[in-house]
Amino acid sequence: MASANPFNSILKTLEKPDGGEFGRYYSLPALNDPRIDKLPYSIKILLESAIRNCDDFQVKSKDVEKIIDWEKTSPKQVEIPFKPARVLLQDFTGVPAVVDLACMRDAMNKLGGDSNKINPLVPVDLVIDHSVQVDVARSENAVQANMELEFQRNKERFAFLKWGSSAFDNMLVVPPGSGIVHQVNLEYLGRVVFNTNGVLYPDSVVGTDSHTTMIDGLGVAGWGVGGIEAEAVMLGQPMSMVLPGVVGFKLLGKLRDGVTATDLVLTVTQMLRKHGVVGKFVEFYGEGMSELSLADRATIANMSPEYGATMGFFPVDHVTLQYLRLTGRSDETIAMIESYLRANKMFVDYNEPQIDKVYSSYLELKLEEVEPCISGPKRPHDRVPLKEMKADWHACLDNKVGFKGFAIPKESQNKVAKFSFHGTPAELRHGDVVIAAITSCTNTSNPSVMLGAALVAKKACELGLEVKPWIKTSLAPGSGVVTKYLQKSGLQKYLNHLGFHIVGYGCTTCIGNSGDIDESVASAISENDMVAAAVLSGNRNFEGRVHPLTRANYLASPPLVVAYALAGTVDIDFETEPIGTGKDGKHIFFRDIWPSSEEVANVVQSSVLPDMFKATYEAITKGNPMWNELSISSSSLYAWNPTSTYIHEPPYFKDMTMSPPGPHGVKDAYCLLNFGDSITTDHISPAGSIHKDSPAAKYLLEHGVDRRDFNSYGSRRGNDEIMARGTFANIRIVNKLLKGEVGPKTIHIPTGEKLSVYDVAMRYKTAGQDTIILAGAEYGSGSSRDWAAKGPMLLGVKAVIAKSFERIHRSNLVGMGIIPLCFKSGEDAETLGLTGHERYTIDLPSNVNEIRPGQDVTVTTDSGKSFACTVRFDTEVELAYFNHGGILQYVIRNLIGSNQ
């Protein structure tokens, strides 16, 4: 049970310079421990959280000691609890979280508790940054037209979230059309330092999108997590994490003229991928830091998932404070932030002597060595210097099919596909650009590259260059502020002239929402097997993600996106070959349209103003006409619509009582699926489009939904009936019960019938028979998602026996009441001779006091085999969750118990 905080003795008062006080804070210097001075700044944030939340139950004194002793403990892969200051949700992941809160209120009500006690216990910021399908691109009214389509498709989801914003305390909902979640977080939501009830502490955040890391550029520790982990944090539970190693990345000097932040981030991404930073923090330091704007830092931090780190962290310094002023934070707030961080030795002042921090490993980059570059054609870390691009492209045409190859025969490499574009003769060659998109969150935060792109457009227009009309061009800023400074600078008209109209403020081409390309272009590509190209300023360029018909996809800075759109091909040497012919008939080269760093800096200084941020975010709170017109109930309990195919009440709390069910084993369970190694959450979770022959499609058709209105699994994450049917529905899944056949089916063991995974699971469930899953190593790896654990629970899966688990997925299984077990070292289903046709009994003690984290238990089968497994409840808190049947049930009973 929780007890008083043993660190209350180091609570200090932070005085204001002019008298009065900012508040109280837990003082790290007051511990008088020399090890703390050498800790990386990012680890100090974990330390402060552990000290402030220490209750010797969820967070223990020994956890604090592990963090203080980070230099010795981090190589040992020790686990610590972490309580972030807030949670960041986006549209798709926000819906199931609000569904769960609404269900918990209903359950609380039925059990006789005060349902209004169900509220997030930490602040929740929910940004509806709905992914914009670029249906309308080259049009002055693209934003409005795309927004109307989004509201038409997603009205019910939006209305549900609007209800949540009024029904729950401690939850801020930012309406659609305001900006992409990470940019809104950076410009508006990021606190840097919290002041809650007079207690000061660093801002930290977990978000349900991997690029939550963008906030690390502001000195706020943040990263992406699965939905169940985010919900647990919302409800006041700690998240369990491995105490990470920290790579120290030293920056020196300054960027050369004409080199962009995107060139820098692609260089950093390649270096860190090569170094190996998976599961680690990266912390940037050194004299070069003062040369990087906050927007440049945010660009580097945003791409943490692409280089594999948990965080790419930039400690707070004077540059951070300048950005807070620019974005409209008050002088008093900024004074409080600086005073607190200085007092707790968490502020970097480059005018003072620096105490060397200890890092797990070290990297160094001289900024003047960074050169213009792009990345591709299929991965973010395959960087190509711009001067080598033409040669690299021809190598890719030659190379065998792979990350750097298309295997186009020599005799076909100069093929020309002729077609008619709206009555005009046209032609396509390998490498021709058909999509050019300034998109997503990575660069559209950054005024220098956005205004740089606009300057390229201006110079191109003045010289008479045009973009071919069949290239799908679009501009999707991360924030409404971008529109304001593009208009203030007078440069938006040049982008418009080249077809780069603003299409919306959300994820677009980078996430696969590029929309259709013209039918004539699509036919020319398909019929002639052309390797068409997309150039985009996003962060993901995996094959098949941007558009099914663009096999070559390159990441580039916004100015380079415009340059490649003008050139119309990636098969060009910008140094020696002209981009096009000007209005006077002369060749125009890349150097003729490329702005100097000084030109860009002057436009940024005159065009990006604090009032723009204030005006943009004041407007956010007022919503927009379509949002404001959504009518919602004023009840704090949600009125579930049984006919809805978007929002549905899941059965998590059916038959729940005040008494916890207690520990329970599994008796005579059938094996639902038998997997090998590396089954990812992409295999498990419902994702992407809904296949026309799937159980989910059948459900939608039965409920009167036309095939063209199926939408995606992502958009229907608030309906458990659809998500359960989409669990294990991946067409590439390999289930050993099918003996070599690939696809989302399995065997119903009693009858030998081969059916969809959902149909087999329902047969077992209807017959009252439990199921388990057998798996190999790294079960649940990848981007962990809440439905990778919720789905199996709804299918009736009671346990997963694997060689090893991905960390977040294992904790998510526990959170949903599923038992994770590991085979003993050197053993697996094959070495034990298990086929999956057996029935399995897992013998767990029925008394909660007899189970310990990580203990061994015996699994027996009806074929006479018996083997030991390790139960992967790794902490006492996880045991408590399992005792209650899941994390949500645990929270409800605790809240009711605390009221009695």
Side-chain angles (χ1 to χ4, degrees):
M1 293 298 291
S3 60
N5 191 325
F7 292 96
N8 281 342
S9 60
I10 61 166
L11 258 177
K12 304 290 182 189
T13 299
L14 185 65
E15 308 284 349
K16 290 183 178 179
D18 55 354
E21 57 187 59
F22 286 116
R24 305 177 79 204
Y25 69 104
Y26 286 88
S27 169
L28 302 186
L31 287 170
N32 290 319
D33 193 319
R35 292 174 295 177
I36 294 175
D37 285 338
K38 291 187 173 183
L39 289 179
Y41 290 97
S42 48
I43 297 299
K44 284 187 178 183
I45 292 175
L46 302 183
L47 174 61
E48 190 283 338
S49 174
I51 288 170
R52 179 167 36 84
N53 291 295
C54 188
D55 60 0
D56 276 327
F57 174 60
Q58 289 185 333
V59 183
K60 299 182 176 179
S61 300
K62 66 180 183 184
D63 296 317
V64 172
E65 173 55 27
K66 284 179 193 172
I67 302 171
I68 292 175
D69 205 29
W70 171 84
E71 190 177 349
K72 292 179 182 173
T73 53
S74 62
K76 299 176 183 174
Q77 292 285 293
V78 300
E79 293 220 0
I80 58 159
F82 177 52
K83 284 194 166 190
R86 62 188 170 98
V87 172
L88 183 66
L89 303 175
Q90 61 174 166
D91 179 10
F92 281 178
T93 45
V95 169
V98 178
V99 164
D100 288 353
L101 286 172
C103 283
M104 290 173 74
R105 277 207 172 157
D106 289 345
M108 189 91 154
N109 206 37
K110 286 170 189 164
L111 290 170
D114 178 0
S115 62
N116 287 319
K117 291 278 183 188
I118 298 290
N119 275 303
L121 295 179
V122 302
V124 174
D125 300 321
L126 197 163
V127 181
I128 307 177
D129 68 348
H130 65 293
S131 300
V132 180
Q133 183 83 11
V134 187
D135 293 292
V136 184
R138 286 194 172 193
S139 161
E140 292 287 358
N141 67 345
V143 173
Q144 184 64 19
N146 284 317
M147 176 74 84
E148 285 171 4
L149 283 164
E150 291 307 310
F151 263 84
Q152 188 182 314
R153 290 173 178 140
N154 303 297
K155 185 176 180 180
E156 191 177 344
R157 251 184 29 252
F158 292 168
F160 176 67
L161 293 174
K162 186 176 180 183
W163 168 82
S165 70
S166 63
F168 296 104
D169 297 333
N170 229 8
M171 180 183 284
L172 170 69
V173 175
V174 177
S178 306
I180 197 165
V181 58
H182 317 302
Q183 191 62 32
V184 175
N185 194 23
L186 193 74
E187 293 176 356
Y188 180 61
L189 299 172
R191 279 71 153 183
V192 186
V193 172
F194 265 89
N195 184 344
T196 302
N197 300 323
V199 177
L200 307 173
Y201 53 96
D203 186 4
S204 55
V205 60
V206 289
T208 50
D209 183 281
S210 57
H211 292 104
T212 299
T213 53
M214 190 172 197
I215 199 67
D216 303 334
L218 195 68
V220 174
W223 59 87
V225 295
I228 292 171
E229 225 177 358
E231 287 183 37
V233 172
M234 279 165 49
L235 296 166
Q237 304 304 303
M239 53 181 282
S240 181
M241 63 180 287
V242 174
L243 187 60
V246 183
V247 177
F249 198 121
K250 190 173 188 178
L251 296 170
L252 299 166
K254 65 182 291 186
L255 294 173
R256 287 183 288 132
D257 187 45
V259 176
T260 68
T262 316
D263 302 323
L264 171 59
V265 73
L266 295 177
T267 304
V268 168
T269 297
Q270 185 183 44
M271 287 177 68
L272 287 170
R273 266 283 167 198
K274 186 178 177 183
H275 187 73
V277 292
V278 172
K280 295 177 180 158
F281 290 176
V282 176
E283 186 166 295
F284 293 89
Y285 70 104
E287 66 196 51
M289 290 279 281
S290 59
E291 296 294 333
L292 287 188
S293 71
L294 199 292
D296 291 351
R297 297 174 182 193
T299 307
I300 294 169
N302 177 286
M303 282 189 76
S304 295
E306 281 66 45
Y307 44 82
T310 303
M311 279 204 304
F313 187 75
F314 291 81
V316 177
D317 60 13
H318 287 106
V319 174
T320 322
L321 301 182
Q322 286 166 8
Y323 183 79
L324 293 173
R325 285 189 192 93
L326 172 67
T327 50
R329 273 74 161 196
S330 72
D331 290 343
E332 186 175 355
T333 297
I334 295 167
M336 178 268 289
I337 289 169
E338 183 176 2
S339 296
Y340 167 77
L341 293 173
R342 282 187 182 278
N344 235 355
K345 295 194 175 177
M346 298 165 90
F347 185 86
V348 184
D349 189 333
Y350 292 105
N351 295 319
E352 297 175 357
Q354 301 296 301
I355 297 173
D356 286 341
K357 303 296 178 188
V358 173
Y359 295 111
S360 310
S361 60
Y362 297 82
L363 281 173
E364 184 175 296
L365 174 65
K366 293 183 174 72
L367 294 176
E368 60 269 20
E369 293 177 358
V370 175
E371 58 184 323
C373 57
I374 65 177
S375 278
K378 303 181 186 183
R379 294 190 301 186
H381 53 282
D382 289 335
R383 188 180 69 89
V384 186
L386 207 57
K387 63 188 179 188
E388 297 171 17
M389 180 57 196
K390 189 178 178 80
D392 191 83
W393 169 252
H394 284 276
C396 287
L397 288 177
D398 288 332
N399 293 344
K400 65 181 183 181
V401 173
F403 292 122
K404 292 290 288 185
F406 298 105
I408 303 297
K410 280 281 187 202
E411 63 273 15
S412 302
Q413 290 184 8
N414 294 319
K415 184 198 288 186
V416 178
K418 295 183 182 296
F419 66 102
S420 173
F421 181 77
H422 298 198
T424 304
E427 46 188 51
L428 275 181
R429 292 175 172 79
H430 291 301
D432 276 6
V433 175
V434 296
I435 292 175
I438 300 174
T439 179
S440 187
C441 47
T442 318
N443 294 280
T444 55
S445 68
N446 196 326
S448 66
V449 290
M450 294 302 285
L451 288 164
L455 284 170
V456 169
K458 178 177 185 284
K459 289 170 184 280
C461 288
E462 288 171 348
L463 291 166
L465 294 179
E466 298 282 349
V467 174
K468 293 183 177 73
W470 57 81
I471 298 176
K472 187 158 191 178
T473 45
S474 60
L475 168 58
S479 157
V481 176
V482 179
T483 303
K484 287 185 170 61
Y485 64 63
L486 283 173
Q487 288 171 344
K488 164 81 175 163
S489 67
L491 295 173
Q492 179 67 56
K493 63 185 178 188
Y494 300 109
L495 287 165
N496 289 350
H497 182 77
L498 297 182
F500 288 95
H501 294 276
I502 293 175
V503 295
Y505 302 94
C507 286
T508 54
T509 306
C510 189
I511 204 172
N513 282 351
S514 51
D516 294 332
I517 54 179
D518 189 88
E519 206 172 302
S520 63
V521 180
S523 298
I525 295 169
S526 302
E527 291 166 11
N528 296 280
D529 195 29
M530 305 305 291
V531 183
V535 183
L536 61 151
S537 67
N539 44 36
R540 299 262 165 104
N541 59 332
F542 307 120
E543 192 170 18
R545 181 181 173 108
V546 171
H547 192 283
L549 293 177
T550 58
R551 278 193 270 169
N553 301 285
Y554 285 94
L555 302 183
S557 67
L560 274 177
V561 171
V562 177
Y564 273 108
L566 290 161
T569 180
V570 297
D571 185 5
I572 183 171
D573 180 345
F574 279 143
E575 286 192 19
T576 61
E577 295 178 86
I579 276 182
T581 305
K583 56 191 175 191
D584 57 2
K586 289 183 180 174
H587 284 328
I588 307 298
F589 288 85
F590 179 77
R591 57 184 171 270
D592 299 326
I593 62 169
W594 199 255
S596 69
S597 299
E598 187 181 3
E599 283 179 273
V600 174
N602 288 340
V603 177
V604 170
Q605 192 171 1
S606 62
S607 306
V608 185
L609 307 171
D611 285 351
M612 295 176 177
F613 292 89
K614 285 179 184 171
T616 299
Y617 289 107
E618 279 169 8
I620 273 183
T621 57
K622 295 170 187 166
N624 59 60
M626 285 182 280
W627 173 261
N628 294 338
E629 284 165 15
L630 292 174
S631 61
I632 58 166
S633 163
S634 58
S635 171
S636 65
L637 295 175
Y638 187 68
W640 302 99
N641 176 3
T643 65
S644 171
T645 56
Y646 276 101
I647 309 295
H648 184 263
E649 182 180 13
Y652 304 146
F653 307 108
K654 194 179 176 188
D655 306 323
M656 180 180 167
T657 62
M658 264 307 291
S659 300
H664 46 280
V666 177
K667 189 166 175 61
D668 290 331
Y670 285 101
C671 177
L672 179 65
L673 294 150
N674 183 3
F675 292 132
D677 294 343
S678 300
I679 289 294
T680 70
T681 49
D682 284 309
H683 292 111
I684 306 168
S685 287
S689 58
I690 296 171
H691 193 271
K692 62 184 175 61
D693 299 323
S694 65
K698 184 182 174 189
Y699 174 89
L700 287 168
L701 290 170
E702 287 171 353
H703 284 74
V705 178
D706 193 275
R707 188 161 282 153
R708 69 171 179 269
D709 296 323
F710 276 5
N711 217 326
S712 63
Y713 280 115
S715 66
R716 295 187 182 274
R717 288 179 79 158
N719 188 312
D720 60 286
E721 294 282 2
I722 291 165
M723 299 304 277
R725 286 164 170 79
T727 301
F728 299 113
N730 187 300
I731 58 171
R732 300 277 174 236
I733 207 162
V734 178
N735 170 18
K736 292 181 184 178
L737 292 176
L738 296 180
K739 301 192 182 305
E741 185 181 335
V742 177
K745 297 200 170 183
T746 194
I747 303 297
H748 182 247
I749 304 296
T751 63
E753 287 181 80
K754 181 173 71 175
L755 302 164
S756 73
V757 175
Y758 175 79
D759 288 339
V760 170
M762 290 307 103
R763 280 209 190 174
Y764 287 133
K765 215 170 176 184
T766 303
Q769 295 161 334
D770 289 345
T771 55
I772 61 115
I773 289 172
L774 295 175
E778 298 177 339
Y779 183 73
S781 58
S783 301
S784 273
R785 302 184 180 119
D786 50 348
W787 279 106
K790 287 178 176 177
M793 185 275 286
L794 291 171
L795 295 180
V797 173
K798 301 299 180 188
V800 179
I801 310 175
K803 283 178 74 174
S804 62
F805 290 91
E806 190 275 338
R807 179 182 61 82
I808 296 174
H809 184 62
R810 183 203 61 78
S811 70
N812 283 350
L813 290 174
V814 176
M816 294 312 296
I818 295 174
I819 308 168
L821 300 119
C822 277
F823 291 108
K824 301 303 287 182
S825 179
E827 294 184 347
D828 59 20
E830 280 192 11
T831 64
L832 292 167
L834 304 173
T835 65
H837 286 260
E838 308 85 356
R839 298 186 74 172
Y840 294 78
T841 297
I842 300 165
D843 188 21
L844 275 189
S846 56
N847 187 327
V848 69
N849 297 319
E850 294 175 16
I851 304 183
R852 299 179 312 282
Q855 78 177 61
D856 287 352
V857 297
T858 301
V859 180
T860 55
T861 68
D862 62 340
S863 62
K865 286 195 170 71
S866 177
F867 54 96
C869 281
T870 303
V871 180
R872 289 294 310 278
F873 303 131
D874 289 0
T875 64
E876 289 174 29
V877 175
E878 288 188 345
L879 275 173
Y881 296 160
F882 182 68
N883 184 42
H884 281 262
I887 193 167
L888 304 179
Q889 293 85 343
Y890 169 85
V891 170
I892 289 173
R893 291 192 184 100
N894 269 14
L895 283 171
I896 293 177
S898 67
N899 294 339
Q900 293 177 345

